[in-house]
Amino acid sequence: MISKEENILFAAEKLFAEHGFQGTSTREISKAANVNISMISYYFGSKEKLYEKLVEYRMNEGQFFSKDILERTDINEWEKIEKIVDQFAGRVRHHKCFYRIMQREQLHAENPQIVEFLKQTKLGFISMYSKILESGLQKGIFTKNPPIYLLHSTVSGTLFYAFNGKEMYKEFLNNTEDEEVFEEKYYTELNKHIKYILKDLLGYEENK
């Protein structure tokens, strides 16, 4: 059961993804959320604050999950990397609206506060990768030490390029399957591909 606040956030998310922040009015958000327009002011104060809250809400979801992975002691460093890739790809797949918003925001830098928040969040993820890599190298699980910022770029860049190109690749493959069936196969292959690249970059071997 989602709260009234979350209901407004999710309604706004869809509209921001489709029309952009400037192209979406508070009246449209209230209509989509089926609430009185005054409720937006009550919960968020303004459309700008609602937008910032949406970004904070979605990014914190990922951070909390990633922190749990980092602190686990029942899996090794490579398994942590696998779970991070699975989590990241899953979030991009299932929160398409939000990641369309974030790609637009990073291109146009419409809200300096959100740009700064995204930067700090990314730095947090890079720090997490760094800790896993350092631990894996010490234990001999990884044999290569690639630049950590390029490792992060490889995962993010591959994932978002594939995310944006899915329909083009479906057409290229002359694939006529149901959209959900194709998407399931597409993201499964994408996950495997990213992990294959990371194995090589990190010098990880299954039998270690």
Side-chain angles (χ1 to χ4, degrees):
M1 187 70 178
I2 65 172
S3 66
K4 290 182 180 179
E5 186 177 1
E6 288 173 324
N7 177 48
I8 296 170
L9 283 175
F10 300 156
E13 183 177 45
K14 291 180 181 178
L15 291 170
F16 289 151
E18 185 175 352
H19 304 296
F21 175 76
Q22 298 296 342
T24 301
S25 68
T26 52
R27 189 169 298 280
E28 289 170 322
I29 295 169
S30 68
K31 183 178 179 181
N34 196 28
V35 298
N36 190 292
I37 196 168
S38 63
M39 294 294 286
I40 295 175
S41 295
Y42 175 77
Y43 282 113
F44 305 102
S46 66
K47 187 176 74 167
E48 288 76 10
K49 292 298 181 184
L50 188 161
Y51 188 44
E52 291 167 8
K53 183 66 176 180
L54 171 63
V55 175
E56 182 181 352
Y57 181 92
R58 287 298 191 202
M59 297 304 284
N60 280 340
E61 282 181 327
Q63 283 184 307
F64 291 147
F65 191 86
S66 298
K67 185 179 179 183
D68 288 342
I69 293 173
L70 185 62
E71 294 175 351
R72 286 182 63 172
T73 58
D74 60 321
I75 56 176
N76 69 24
E77 281 70 16
W78 170 250
E79 290 169 323
K80 290 180 180 181
I81 292 288
E82 285 190 304
K83 288 191 176 296
I84 290 169
V85 171
D86 289 339
Q87 178 219 2
F88 197 0
R91 287 184 59 74
V92 171
R93 176 184 175 184
H94 296 296
H95 296 299
K96 294 180 179 70
C97 290
F98 176 70
Y99 284 99
R100 288 195 186 104
I101 294 169
M102 289 304 90
Q103 287 182 309
R104 182 186 296 126
E105 185 66 46
Q106 291 177 88
L107 285 172
H108 302 293
E110 295 174 349
N111 185 315
Q113 186 168 334
I114 288 180
V115 171
E116 179 63 23
F117 183 75
L118 288 174
K119 183 182 80 171
Q120 294 304 321
T121 302
K122 287 178 182 178
L123 289 172
F125 279 116
I126 293 171
S127 175
M128 178 183 63
Y129 280 122
S130 183
K131 290 175 182 176
I132 294 173
L133 177 57
E134 182 180 353
S135 178
L137 286 167
Q138 289 175 351
K139 295 176 182 178
I141 293 172
F142 304 138
T143 60
K144 297 179 182 177
N145 187 12
I148 200 67
Y149 63 94
L150 292 180
L151 195 71
H152 179 262
S153 294
T154 297
V155 176
S156 299
T158 303
L159 187 52
F160 284 117
Y161 195 93
F163 169 70
N164 291 324
K166 181 169 71 72
E167 295 306 317
M168 177 187 69
Y169 293 134
K170 190 174 191 291
E171 183 179 336
F172 171 75
L173 295 168
N174 293 315
N175 188 290
T176 57
E177 292 177 313
D178 176 79
E179 182 65 25
E180 287 188 15
V181 173
F182 174 73
E183 186 170 280
E184 181 66 32
K185 290 182 179 179
Y186 186 76
Y187 278 96
T188 297
E189 290 182 350
L190 176 58
N191 275 23
K192 289 180 180 177
H193 179 70
I194 292 174
K195 291 172 187 176
Y196 180 81
I197 293 171
L198 291 177
K199 278 184 180 179
D200 186 59
L201 289 174
L202 295 169
Y204 173 76
E205 295 179 15
E206 294 283 0
N207 59 356
K208 277 190 172 292

